[in-house]
Amino acid sequence: KAGVTQTPRYLIKTRGQQVTLSCSPISGHRSVSWYQQTPGQGLQFLFEYFSETQRNKGNFPGRFSGRQFSNSRSEMNVSTLELGDSALYLCASSLSSGANVLTFGAGSRLTVL
Amino acid sequence: DAKTTQPPSMDCAEGRAANLPCNHSTISGNEYVYWYRQIHSQGPQYIIHGLKNNETNEMASLIITEDRKSSTLILPHATLRDTAVYYCIVRSNDYKLSFGAGTTVTVRA
């Protein structure tokens, strides 16, 4: 059974640009959550999507957005990139919103120059 | 969200049990305790969770005190591959996972 797939694994952008990251959940999983991991702040919750609806949102500015498609695949977008957005972005999938077990992908490492 | 307190680091000898403590004194009655670990350069991996009773699975055991203010994750026979950052998390009622700094566990041969 394939795990959670995140693409791209690595990318470099410059300040002011925007970026879109993709997450394909485990087959049958309908909930996708996104987390940002930085050395200074650790792992922080961004948002969760279930059945194409945002269920929860963390304390991030509006530059961070996401969506989920009917096949449960999810994308997150960061606009007007700042240096501080450099981080590992992790996606996790679960069977449903509130499910006990989250399965994480390997992450997308974003570097903003 | 209930906060958790974990020691920043600990060492363990290969083949021995590793006991990882976690304090969560502000936990509410219906909040679960979760443990995840993150091996370098990988996403976090679910280990175990519990509410009141002790739990055991193929990876670990979770011991929760009767007052639920603390818990201990036990890795029964640590191997070098268990070297990782271990996160103790109390999941809020809106299902978000709030990761703290975790405990860096180093298993030594």
Side-chain angles (χ1 to χ4, degrees), chain A residues 14-59:
Chain A
T14 56
R15 280 182 298 174
Q17 287 187 311
Q18 67 94 25
V19 66
T20 299
L21 308 177
S22 178
C23 173
S24 293
I26 290 173
S27 178
H29 284 195
R30 297 172 61 197
S31 174
V32 173
S33 302
W34 289 89
Y35 289 80
Q36 180 198 64
Q37 185 171 30
T38 60
Q41 299 297 318
L43 273 154
Q44 294 186 287
F45 173 79
L46 279 158
F47 27 64
E48 180 203 4
Y49 286 87
F50 176 72
S51 293
E52 302 177 65
T53 303
Q54 188 179 85
R55 290 300 182 96
N56 281 303
K57 190 176 191 307
N59 296 322

Side-chain angles (χ1 to χ4, degrees), chain B residues 68-90:
Chain B
R68 303 210 325 120
K69 293 185 177 182
S70 65
S71 60
T72 301
L73 178 75
I74 301 173
L75 307 177
H77 305 286
T79 70
L80 298 179
R81 288 179 295 180
D82 292 324
T83 292
V85 178
Y86 287 76
Y87 297 98
C88 170
I89 303 159
V90 173

Side-chain angles (χ1 to χ4, degrees), chain A residues 33-100:
Chain A
S33 302
W34 289 89
Y35 289 80
Q36 180 198 64
Q37 185 171 30
T38 60
Q41 299 297 318
L43 273 154
Q44 294 186 287
F45 173 79
L46 279 158
F47 27 64
E48 180 203 4
Y49 286 87
F50 176 72
S51 293
E52 302 177 65
T53 303
Q54 188 179 85
R55 290 300 182 96
N56 281 303
K57 190 176 191 307
N59 296 322
F60 280 82
R63 301 185 297 108
F64 292 80
S65 62
R67 59 177 176 169
Q68 186 180 34
F69 302 94
S70 58
N71 62 357
S72 295
R73 189 178 71 86
S74 177
E75 289 181 347
M76 67 162 285
N77 183 78
V78 187
S79 62
T80 320
L81 284 166
E82 301 176 359
L83 296 179
D85 297 333
S86 294
L88 180 66
Y89 290 88
L90 291 156
C91 163
S93 77
S94 60
L95 283 170
S96 62
S97 182
N100 284 320

Side-chain angles (χ1 to χ4, degrees), chain A residues 37 45 56 98-100 102 104, chain B residues 34 36 38 44 91 94 96:
Chain A
Q37 185 171 30
F45 173 79
N56 281 303
N100 284 320
L102 297 185
F104 283 81
Chain B
Y34 286 77
Y36 280 75
Q38 188 173 24
R91 195 173 77 170
D94 59 4
K96 292 187 291 187

